[in-house]
Amino acid sequence: MKTITRTEDLAAFCARAHESRYVTVDTEFLRERTYYAKLCLVQLALPGKNPEDAVLVDPLADGLSLEPLITLFRDTNVVKVFHAARQDLEIFWVDHDVIPEPLFDTQVAAMVCGFGEQVGYETLVKKIARARLDKSSRFTDWSRRPLSDAQKTYALADVTHLRQIYEFLEKKLRDTGRHRWVTEELGVLTDPETYVTRPEDAWRRVKTRSASPRFLAVLRELAAFREAYAQERNVPRNRVFKDDALTELASTKPQSTEDLGRSRLLLRDARKGDIAEGILAAVARGVAVPNDALPEPEERMDKGQVNPALADLLRVLLKAKTESQGVASKLIAPAADLDALASGERDLPALRGWRHEVFGADALKLCEGRIALAAKGSQVTVVEI
């Protein structure tokens, strides 16, 4: 197996790729000790079974430039095939300001084609390629050199079997006319906004039971400081302080280092220096927010507003529709969206695009009492009223 460590060799491989219908792509990276992922290896494969059709690219090699690969990613005549592409795409967007186009994600396609929820690569290899993967190298340190033969074999398998999986799924989509479904789903993955994390919005990801606007104002400032600090120093946000410490600080609103010393959950390193100063300044900003500028809590669905019988009927309808269409149910509507629909919410993904065709149109009719559900043997059928 070939490992590319020189720019000219990468350029030669990419020149061949520009003449191909598609290229399969995967990466190995580390993120345990950094905020941004550290790219350690890129795997590429072209259609065909010759050994030179699949290579490993070592981005840690001295003097190697990934520019030929970035140029390939911008070539709209070559489909770039990934499996569960989100983290891979984030790396290339953050490091190189590029999102491969056109994109094909076999995990998304497999869900559309009825292979289940969030189907893993190993499962597709077994079901489609009729092969088995050796996963023993999965959690190894990909930044260490030299790479072992076991690591190389594992990494290469992530793109060689992907060729057969892609061709199988692409044909199935073509036969069923569902290419548009996948294109709609990939809209989020190909949107650069998906990979932008703004410190001022970080508080929305923190789970908390309190809906107090003042508490949320302090929480917002603390989360923004933590996110900005982690980004600037490229360290995981939990290494600054964890969510439980964040919510504790938002509740206690410390005003001095002595107050920080009484925290039960704050790490020792966060009670002094730059982090401590940042915490105290963030708390002060949150406390000083004028009443008319306090953040409003996100609207939470009142369980009393949900019609439980209607929610159950929607679940039955969804199950019937997805089984007949051969598509993963959670791809159309998770349980929370069904409850929202039963409570009267109408701004939901299930009511737009291909989901509306498969489920949403009849779901609205069910909510409006224009259809009923009937059991016929093992099948559930829709009855017009």
Side-chain angles (χ1 to χ4, degrees), residues 4-11 57-69 96:
I4 291 177
T5 58
R6 301 190 309 163
T7 304
E8 52 265 41
D9 292 336
L10 177 60
V57 181
D58 186 357
L60 303 183
D62 289 341
L64 176 72
S65 169
L66 290 181
E67 193 55 36
L69 179 61
H96 300 281

mmCIF file of all heavy atoms in Angstrom, residues 4-11 57-69 96:
data_model
loop_
_atom_site.group_PDB
_atom_site.id
_atom_site.type_symbol
_atom_site.label_atom_id
_atom_site.label_comp_id
_atom_site.label_asym_id
_atom_site.label_seq_id
_atom_site.Cartn_x
_atom_site.Cartn_y
_atom_site.Cartn_z
ATOM 1 N N ILE A 4 1.575 8.499 0.494
ATOM 2 C CA ILE A 4 2.089 9.693 -0.189
ATOM 3 C C ILE A 4 2.625 10.675 0.842
ATOM 4 O O ILE A 4 1.908 11.073 1.766
ATOM 5 C CB ILE A 4 0.983 10.346 -1.031
ATOM 6 C CG1 ILE A 4 0.641 9.435 -2.219
ATOM 7 C CG2 ILE A 4 1.394 11.729 -1.503
ATOM 8 C CD1 ILE A 4 -0.499 9.946 -3.073
ATOM 9 N N THR A 5 3.882 11.068 0.649
ATOM 10 C CA THR A 5 4.512 12.030 1.565
ATOM 11 C C THR A 5 5.076 13.236 0.821
ATOM 12 O O THR A 5 5.623 14.140 1.441
ATOM 13 C CB THR A 5 5.651 11.351 2.354
ATOM 14 O OG1 THR A 5 6.616 10.829 1.424
ATOM 15 C CG2 THR A 5 5.111 10.224 3.227
ATOM 16 N N ARG A 6 4.932 13.261 -0.521
ATOM 17 C CA ARG A 6 5.462 14.367 -1.319
ATOM 18 C C ARG A 6 4.338 15.008 -2.121
ATOM 19 O O ARG A 6 3.457 14.308 -2.645
ATOM 20 C CB ARG A 6 6.554 13.873 -2.263
ATOM 21 C CG ARG A 6 7.745 13.205 -1.564
ATOM 22 C CD ARG A 6 8.882 12.962 -2.539
ATOM 23 N NE ARG A 6 8.425 12.269 -3.736
ATOM 24 C CZ ARG A 6 9.119 12.231 -4.869
ATOM 25 N NH1 ARG A 6 10.293 12.849 -4.953
ATOM 26 N NH2 ARG A 6 8.639 11.575 -5.925
ATOM 27 N N THR A 7 4.405 16.308 -2.247
ATOM 28 C CA THR A 7 3.363 17.048 -2.952
ATOM 29 C C THR A 7 3.239 16.594 -4.397
ATOM 30 O O THR A 7 2.119 16.468 -4.930
ATOM 31 C CB THR A 7 3.644 18.557 -2.894
ATOM 32 O OG1 THR A 7 3.777 18.965 -1.532
ATOM 33 C CG2 THR A 7 2.534 19.352 -3.548
ATOM 34 N N GLU A 8 4.364 16.335 -5.055
ATOM 35 C CA GLU A 8 4.307 15.942 -6.464
ATOM 36 C C GLU A 8 3.612 14.593 -6.653
ATOM 37 O O GLU A 8 2.919 14.361 -7.655
ATOM 38 C CB GLU A 8 5.711 15.907 -7.096
ATOM 39 C CG GLU A 8 6.729 15.093 -6.322
ATOM 40 C CD GLU A 8 7.573 15.938 -5.383
ATOM 41 O OE1 GLU A 8 7.012 16.854 -4.732
ATOM 42 O OE2 GLU A 8 8.793 15.685 -5.311
ATOM 43 N N ASP A 9 3.773 13.687 -5.682
ATOM 44 C CA ASP A 9 3.074 12.400 -5.771
ATOM 45 C C ASP A 9 1.573 12.576 -5.553
ATOM 46 O O ASP A 9 0.755 11.906 -6.204
ATOM 47 C CB ASP A 9 3.646 11.422 -4.746
ATOM 48 C CG ASP A 9 5.074 11.005 -5.070
ATOM 49 O OD1 ASP A 9 5.453 11.081 -6.256
ATOM 50 O OD2 ASP A 9 5.810 10.621 -4.143
ATOM 51 N N LEU A 10 1.212 13.457 -4.645
ATOM 52 C CA LEU A 10 -0.205 13.741 -4.429
ATOM 53 C C LEU A 10 -0.808 14.387 -5.674
ATOM 54 O O LEU A 10 -1.931 14.054 -6.085
ATOM 55 C CB LEU A 10 -0.385 14.654 -3.208
ATOM 56 C CG LEU A 10 -1.822 15.081 -2.902
ATOM 57 C CD1 LEU A 10 -2.717 13.873 -2.644
ATOM 58 C CD2 LEU A 10 -1.855 16.028 -1.692
ATOM 59 N N ALA A 11 -0.073 15.290 -6.294
ATOM 60 C CA ALA A 11 -0.548 15.948 -7.518
ATOM 61 C C ALA A 11 -0.766 14.931 -8.631
ATOM 62 O O ALA A 11 -1.747 15.019 -9.387
ATOM 63 C CB ALA A 11 0.440 17.021 -7.951
ATOM 64 N N VAL A 57 -2.485 9.404 2.364
ATOM 65 C CA VAL A 57 -1.787 10.684 2.261
ATOM 66 C C VAL A 57 -1.429 11.137 3.673
ATOM 67 O O VAL A 57 -2.302 11.221 4.544
ATOM 68 C CB VAL A 57 -2.665 11.751 1.580
ATOM 69 C CG1 VAL A 57 -1.909 13.071 1.460
ATOM 70 C CG2 VAL A 57 -3.129 11.258 0.205
ATOM 71 N N ASP A 58 -0.149 11.405 3.884
ATOM 72 C CA ASP A 58 0.328 11.780 5.219
ATOM 73 C C ASP A 58 0.457 13.301 5.323
ATOM 74 O O ASP A 58 1.457 13.882 4.911
ATOM 75 C CB ASP A 58 1.684 11.127 5.486
ATOM 76 C CG ASP A 58 2.162 11.363 6.911
ATOM 77 O OD1 ASP A 58 1.471 12.087 7.660
ATOM 78 O OD2 ASP A 58 3.215 10.816 7.289
ATOM 79 N N PRO A 59 -0.539 13.982 5.890
ATOM 80 C CA PRO A 59 -0.471 15.446 5.983
ATOM 81 C C PRO A 59 0.559 15.934 6.992
ATOM 82 O O PRO A 59 0.864 17.133 7.027
ATOM 83 C CB PRO A 59 -1.891 15.830 6.419
ATOM 84 C CG PRO A 59 -2.394 14.627 7.139
ATOM 85 C CD PRO A 59 -1.774 13.440 6.458
ATOM 86 N N LEU A 60 1.117 15.015 7.802
ATOM 87 C CA LEU A 60 2.131 15.393 8.780
ATOM 88 C C LEU A 60 3.541 15.313 8.200
ATOM 89 O O LEU A 60 4.509 15.684 8.872
ATOM 90 C CB LEU A 60 2.027 14.496 10.017
ATOM 91 C CG LEU A 60 0.665 14.472 10.728
ATOM 92 C CD1 LEU A 60 0.728 13.598 11.979
ATOM 93 C CD2 LEU A 60 0.202 15.877 11.088
ATOM 94 N N ALA A 61 3.665 14.829 6.954
ATOM 95 C CA ALA A 61 4.985 14.720 6.326
ATOM 96 C C ALA A 61 5.552 16.106 6.040
ATOM 97 O O ALA A 61 4.836 17.011 5.582
ATOM 98 C CB ALA A 61 4.885 13.915 5.029
ATOM 99 N N ASP A 62 6.830 16.283 6.311
ATOM 100 C CA ASP A 62 7.486 17.574 6.089
ATOM 101 C C ASP A 62 7.372 17.992 4.624
ATOM 102 O O ASP A 62 7.703 17.221 3.717
ATOM 103 C CB ASP A 62 8.968 17.494 6.477
ATOM 104 C CG ASP A 62 9.164 17.382 7.981
ATOM 105 O OD1 ASP A 62 8.219 17.733 8.714
ATOM 106 O OD2 ASP A 62 10.249 16.944 8.414
ATOM 107 N N GLY A 63 6.926 19.203 4.405
ATOM 108 C CA GLY A 63 6.897 19.772 3.061
ATOM 109 C C GLY A 63 5.706 19.380 2.214
ATOM 110 O O GLY A 63 5.552 19.884 1.099
ATOM 111 N N LEU A 64 4.841 18.481 2.721
ATOM 112 C CA LEU A 64 3.696 18.071 1.912
ATOM 113 C C LEU A 64 2.605 19.146 1.935
ATOM 114 O O LEU A 64 2.190 19.598 3.007
ATOM 115 C CB LEU A 64 3.104 16.757 2.431
ATOM 116 C CG LEU A 64 1.831 16.289 1.712
ATOM 117 C CD1 LEU A 64 2.158 15.796 0.318
ATOM 118 C CD2 LEU A 64 1.109 15.211 2.499
ATOM 119 N N SER A 65 2.136 19.551 0.760
ATOM 120 C CA SER A 65 1.019 20.482 0.639
ATOM 121 C C SER A 65 -0.217 19.718 0.171
ATOM 122 O O SER A 65 -0.139 18.894 -0.750
ATOM 123 C CB SER A 65 1.346 21.584 -0.372
ATOM 124 O OG SER A 65 0.182 22.338 -0.675
ATOM 125 N N LEU A 66 -1.357 19.989 0.789
ATOM 126 C CA LEU A 66 -2.607 19.347 0.387
ATOM 127 C C LEU A 66 -3.319 20.104 -0.725
ATOM 128 O O LEU A 66 -4.447 19.752 -1.087
ATOM 129 C CB LEU A 66 -3.542 19.223 1.601
ATOM 130 C CG LEU A 66 -3.133 18.232 2.693
ATOM 131 C CD1 LEU A 66 -4.184 18.223 3.814
ATOM 132 C CD2 LEU A 66 -2.960 16.826 2.139
ATOM 133 N N GLU A 67 -2.667 21.093 -1.306
ATOM 134 C CA GLU A 67 -3.326 21.913 -2.318
ATOM 135 C C GLU A 67 -3.848 21.103 -3.512
ATOM 136 O O GLU A 67 -4.948 21.396 -4.019
ATOM 137 C CB GLU A 67 -2.381 23.012 -2.794
ATOM 138 C CG GLU A 67 -3.078 24.094 -3.608
ATOM 139 C CD GLU A 67 -4.260 24.723 -2.892
ATOM 140 O OE1 GLU A 67 -4.195 24.891 -1.653
ATOM 141 O OE2 GLU A 67 -5.262 25.041 -3.567
ATOM 142 N N PRO A 68 -3.125 20.084 -4.004
ATOM 143 C CA PRO A 68 -3.704 19.288 -5.096
ATOM 144 C C PRO A 68 -5.027 18.627 -4.701
ATOM 145 O O PRO A 68 -5.940 18.523 -5.526
ATOM 146 C CB PRO A 68 -2.617 18.245 -5.385
ATOM 147 C CG PRO A 68 -1.347 18.901 -4.945
ATOM 148 C CD PRO A 68 -1.723 19.692 -3.728
ATOM 149 N N LEU A 69 -5.126 18.196 -3.453
ATOM 150 C CA LEU A 69 -6.365 17.586 -2.982
ATOM 151 C C LEU A 69 -7.469 18.637 -2.864
ATOM 152 O O LEU A 69 -8.626 18.370 -3.220
ATOM 153 C CB LEU A 69 -6.131 16.913 -1.623
ATOM 154 C CG LEU A 69 -7.344 16.236 -0.985
ATOM 155 C CD1 LEU A 69 -7.869 15.122 -1.882
ATOM 156 C CD2 LEU A 69 -6.997 15.691 0.399
ATOM 157 N N HIS A 96 -8.879 24.530 5.393
ATOM 158 C CA HIS A 96 -8.609 24.897 3.997
ATOM 159 C C HIS A 96 -9.736 25.677 3.321
ATOM 160 O O HIS A 96 -9.654 25.925 2.110
ATOM 161 C CB HIS A 96 -8.306 23.635 3.184
ATOM 162 C CG HIS A 96 -7.120 22.869 3.683
ATOM 163 N ND1 HIS A 96 -5.823 23.244 3.414
ATOM 164 C CD2 HIS A 96 -7.045 21.746 4.466
ATOM 165 C CE1 HIS A 96 -4.988 22.378 4.001
ATOM 166 N NE2 HIS A 96 -5.706 21.476 4.633
#
